[in-house]
């Protein structure tokens, strides 16, 4: 008897990045937050106002088995953000929101949307600058 095992490796292609939009921090005495779930629903705590809306990240999963359930998990891998211009206050990506299971189509593809929760420092000082802030997260796909 001859058994052959092939290794199937799927690809994950970023279509659009996760963005919390442009926001104004009016109060930072407690941790304020923007919550964007993977479905696109958004909520702001009272000390944050939107200037431009946030967008979920979109990824294309390809080269997976057809009609296969894939299990998704994600986590923040960078506790605090980095800013283009030095800012004493930084944001924290406290949660990365993904569906726990997706099913690929007949071609072995699926679309994954990613959201998350972004929190202010709550330092009592509001020294956020008008600049771009970046943070990182990791997505795992198992099947």
């Amino acid at each position: 008897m001859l058994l052959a095992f092939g290794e199937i490796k799927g690809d994950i292609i970023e279509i659009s990045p996760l963005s919390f939009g442009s926001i104004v921090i009016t109060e930072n005495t407690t941790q304020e937050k923007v919550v964007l779930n993977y479905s696109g629903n958004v909520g702001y705590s009272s000390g944050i106002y939107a200037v431009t809306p946030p967008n979920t990240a979109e990824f294309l999963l390809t080269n997976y088995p057809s009609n296969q359930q894939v299990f998704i998990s994600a986590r923040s891998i960078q506790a605090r953000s980095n800013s283009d211009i030095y800012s004493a206050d930084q944001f924290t990506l406290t949660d990365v929101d993904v569906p726990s299971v997706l099913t690929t189509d007949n071609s072995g593809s699926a679309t994954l949307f990613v959201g998350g929760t972004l929190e202010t420092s709550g330092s009592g000082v509001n020294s956020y600058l008008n600049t771009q802030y970046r943070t990182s997260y990791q997505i795992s796909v198992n099947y």
Side-chain angles (χ1 to χ4, degrees):
M1 176 187 250
L2 176 63
L3 294 175
F5 294 96
E7 187 175 335
I8 299 174
K9 290 186 178 179
D11 296 315
I12 301 175
I13 301 164
E14 184 182 54
I15 304 301
S16 60
L18 175 61
S19 171
F20 288 93
S22 295
I23 56 177
V24 173
I25 311 301
T26 60
E27 185 192 328
N28 193 31
T29 56
T30 60
Q31 289 182 317
E32 302 294 332
K33 58 184 157 183
V34 178
V35 179
L36 174 64
N37 69 21
Y38 70 83
S39 299
N41 298 318
V42 64
Y44 299 92
S45 60
S46 62
I48 297 181
Y49 295 92
V51 176
T52 60
N55 295 306
T56 57
E58 181 179 353
F59 293 89
L60 177 61
L61 282 59
T62 62
N63 298 320
Y64 288 87
S66 299
N67 304 307
Q68 173 73 46
Q69 278 193 331
V70 293
F71 302 92
I72 312 292
S73 62
R75 66 183 182 94
S76 175
I77 58 173
Q78 179 183 343
R80 287 173 35 106
S81 63
N82 294 325
S83 52
D84 287 352
I85 300 171
Y86 174 76
S87 174
D89 277 322
Q90 294 289 322
F91 294 96
T92 302
L93 183 63
T94 60
D95 180 49
V96 182
D97 189 46
V98 294
S100 58
V101 178
L102 291 174
T103 302
T104 62
D105 60 19
N106 288 336
S107 69
S109 298
T111 301
L112 170 64
F113 294 99
V114 178
T117 301
L118 189 73
E119 288 189 0
T120 65
S121 66
S123 68
V125 178
N126 192 354
S127 58
Y128 286 95
L129 299 178
N130 185 15
T131 188
Q132 189 168 44
Y133 295 82
R134 291 184 177 83
T135 189
S136 299
Y137 60 92
Q138 178 180 18
I139 298 171
S140 298
V141 179
N142 296 299
Y143 59 96

